[in-house]
Amino acid sequence: MSLFTRIRERRSVSPASPRSAWEDEFSGMVRRTFSGKKVGRETSLQMISVYACQSLIADGIASLPVDHFSTVGGRRTAVAQSPRWVRQPNPFQTPYAFWHRVIVSLLSDGNAFLAVIRNDAGVIQALYCLHPQDVQIEEGAAGDDRYRVSGVEELLSRDSILHIPAFTVPGCSRGLSPLDMAREAIGLGLTAEEFGARFFSQGTTMAGVIEHPGTPRPDEAKLLRDMFKKTHAGIKNSHTVGVLTGGASFKPITMTPEQAQFLETRRFQKAEIALLYRVPAYLVDSSVTSTWGSGIEEQNKFFVDQTLMPWMVRIEQAVSTFLLPGQQVLKFNLDARLRSKTKDRYEAYRTALTNGFMNADEIRSLEDMDPLPKKNGQHFYMPLNLAVVGEEKKAPEPAPAAPDVLDEGSPPAPVDSTPEGDQGNQETPNDDQHGT
């Protein structure tokens, strides 16, 4: 059976299975924790903080555009004609749905396995994200691992299966599952949620024991217990007044949720799951205030740098190294997510334009605008008052001053014989005098 046939059969199988592959007790995927809860890959999503962290990361990355670049000559230029699988990995899924499934596989199982479908010439036609539990790794001595897919007879090489691991340990090719590592923490969180739900559905506001002064018969004790439970158990009977007859008395003995630190336990479990996925706690628990940055832009950058970036780099490097030819790379475009306010953005554009490292058409393309007509937006500008260090223009030399001593052979300077005191009384001859 070929790999493509196997994928097509998996798509045609009805999902109405009584037990998911991730919930297969015989494969050891579901284990009972010390808190008493059974925790598996899908039951973990019942804990809201786990679901929130996975959806934050998966939605954040899957919603980004994917760019295809060439790095020939040390310069990164966009590839004019990208393969179809770069724009749409396969004919049955949108890019968002495909990358979302890849990231959820990494967040849940710690591994993502992409089936690479090629034509007879070896050219990639499509990519499919396989169920991680359907793939087993047979490790090679030199890292040349082989992959055994459920339902496919032959072993598959890296040409047919692209393996993207998450957290790995030395000597093991398969990544560790974050949910397996946090099984006890998730079990405690699910137990706390069940405790709170049962408290509101079954708890009594006067929890304790009923003491009777006499020796009631068993049927009388049972009747007294049932009547008390009927009138005081459940949320509808909260704060009702209890009436006991026959000298019986009620003594509370159980701890309240506050005494048992129920709320603190639930809050701590949320923060612990956020720590597992390196998601800022304020994004999971609304009662936590952010201590990072002074605005939304700084907090968003922190989330991108510390949470999203490692997952994106894993995918980008794996696809670029093993699926793209030569020096071509695949990049998730973060500009859409890190887009700042309009005023700050325009000020940055002005700096880029006046310093000559962006032109008007490049700026307009970032704002989803058409280029200027007649190629008027392709000019680069630079300040005229700047120069390269060491190549400054020298100031013109001043004209030589007149010598103090006359050179030999020079005509003598005219001597003014007018007395010093009569200079102001000299008369200037007029035209009439010269005429006569």
Side-chain angles (χ1 to χ4, degrees):
M1 181 184 295
S2 67
L3 180 59
F4 183 74
T5 304
R6 171 62 176 163
I7 295 173
R8 188 167 53 188
E9 287 185 354
R10 279 299 297 263
R11 291 182 58 85
S12 63
V13 173
S14 173
S17 175
R19 184 169 56 203
S20 171
W22 284 7
E23 302 294 335
D24 190 358
E25 296 183 11
F26 297 100
S27 64
M29 297 312 300
V30 174
R31 302 172 188 171
R32 187 179 296 275
T33 61
F34 292 114
S35 62
K37 294 292 293 184
K38 288 185 177 181
V39 176
R41 303 289 168 81
E42 292 185 358
T43 55
S44 300
L45 296 177
Q46 296 176 4
M47 188 173 180
I48 301 302
S49 54
V50 175
Y51 184 93
C53 289
Q54 290 194 10
S55 62
L56 277 171
I57 299 174
D59 292 338
I61 298 177
S63 60
L64 297 175
V66 178
D67 295 335
H68 185 196
F69 295 103
S70 174
T71 58
V72 178
R75 296 183 60 186
R76 195 177 73 171
T77 57
V79 176
Q81 189 65 29
S82 299
R84 180 177 176 83
W85 64 267
V86 173
R87 305 188 303 271
Q88 184 179 3
N90 61 69
F92 305 103
Q93 291 178 307
T94 62
Y96 186 101
F98 174 81
W99 293 116
H100 191 280
R101 183 170 297 186
V102 171
I103 298 162
V104 169
S105 295
L106 288 169
L107 297 174
S108 300
D109 187 82
N111 300 272
F113 297 95
L114 305 185
V116 184
I117 307 301
R118 302 175 184 267
N119 58 14
D120 296 337
V123 179
I124 300 176
Q125 300 296 305
L127 299 178
Y128 294 91
C129 184
L130 300 178
H131 198 293
Q133 294 304 311
D134 283 347
V135 183
Q136 302 299 323
I137 304 176
E138 294 192 6
E139 300 180 3
D144 51 340
D145 299 336
R146 296 292 186 268
Y147 306 95
R148 187 176 297 278
V149 180
S150 176
V152 180
E153 298 178 359
E154 68 273 12
L155 285 174
L156 302 175
S157 65
R158 196 185 298 273
D159 292 337
S160 300
I161 297 293
L162 176 61
H163 176 210
I164 307 176
F167 190 96
T168 56
V169 295
C172 185
S173 299
R174 194 176 189 96
L176 301 178
S177 169
L179 299 182
D180 288 347
M181 297 298 101
R183 191 184 299 272
E184 293 296 335
I186 296 173
L188 181 58
L190 292 174
T191 303
E193 288 185 359
E194 182 179 354
F195 173 82
R198 290 185 180 275
F199 171 78
F200 286 107
S201 64
Q202 300 177 2
T204 62
T205 57
M206 300 172 61
V209 297
I210 300 175
E211 292 185 355
H212 197 280
T215 306
R217 297 191 305 271
D219 57 338
E220 293 178 346
K222 183 176 181 303
L223 179 62
L224 183 62
R225 182 198 64 186
D226 294 343
M227 291 298 298
F228 187 82
K229 183 178 180 181
K230 181 179 179 181
T231 55
H232 297 288
I235 190 65
K236 294 182 179 180
N237 296 322
S238 300
H239 308 292
T240 56
V241 178
V243 178
L244 297 176
T245 59
S249 62
F250 179 83
K251 292 186 176 181
I253 59 173
T254 58
M255 295 185 296
T256 63
E258 291 76 15
Q259 292 172 337
Q261 296 184 343
F262 168 70
L263 297 179
E264 287 77 6
T265 300
R266 292 204 62 191
R267 186 176 297 113
F268 176 78
Q269 292 310 117
K270 291 180 181 179
E272 198 168 39
I273 298 302
L275 179 64
L276 171 68
Y277 287 110
R278 290 194 295 185
V279 172
Y282 66 88
L283 294 178
V284 179
D285 188 357
S286 58
S287 63
V288 177
T289 57
S290 172
T291 58
W292 178 265
S294 57
I296 298 299
E297 186 176 353
E298 288 81 3
Q299 295 173 6
N300 190 24
K301 187 177 185 305
F302 175 81
F303 176 66
V304 170
D305 293 342
Q306 303 299 324
T307 306
L308 302 185
M309 187 64 71
W311 300 106
M312 289 190 296
V313 172
R314 283 186 177 97
I315 299 173
E316 291 171 352
Q317 291 186 356
V319 174
S320 302
T321 303
F322 300 110
L323 298 184
L324 291 176
Q327 296 179 327
Q328 297 182 10
V329 295
L330 191 77
K331 289 286 184 181
F332 289 100
N333 191 344
L334 281 170
D335 292 340
R337 185 174 185 91
L338 294 177
R339 201 178 184 96
S340 58
K341 295 181 294 185
T342 303
K343 179 182 177 182
D344 297 337
R345 200 164 66 247
Y346 284 3
E347 290 180 354
Y349 291 156
R350 183 184 299 110
T351 303
L353 182 64
T354 55
N355 285 275
F357 59 87
M358 289 186 72
N359 59 34
D361 283 351
E362 292 174 340
I363 295 174
R364 292 173 66 88
S365 66
L366 295 177
E367 294 293 324
D368 298 326
M369 301 170 67
D370 295 332
L372 292 176
K374 300 180 181 180
K375 299 183 179 180
N376 290 330
Q378 297 183 4
H379 302 291
F380 290 88
Y381 303 92
M382 61 173 292
L384 297 178
N385 58 344
L386 297 179
V388 180
V389 176
E391 298 181 6
E392 299 89 347
K393 291 183 179 180
K394 295 182 179 180
E397 295 183 359
D404 294 336
V405 182
L406 294 176
D407 293 337
E408 210 174 313
S410 299
V415 178
D416 188 3
S417 58
T418 307
E420 212 173 313
D422 297 334
Q423 289 181 358
N425 298 327
Q426 283 185 331
E427 294 181 1
T428 302
N430 51 30
D431 296 338
D432 297 336
Q433 291 175 342
H434 284 286
T436 57

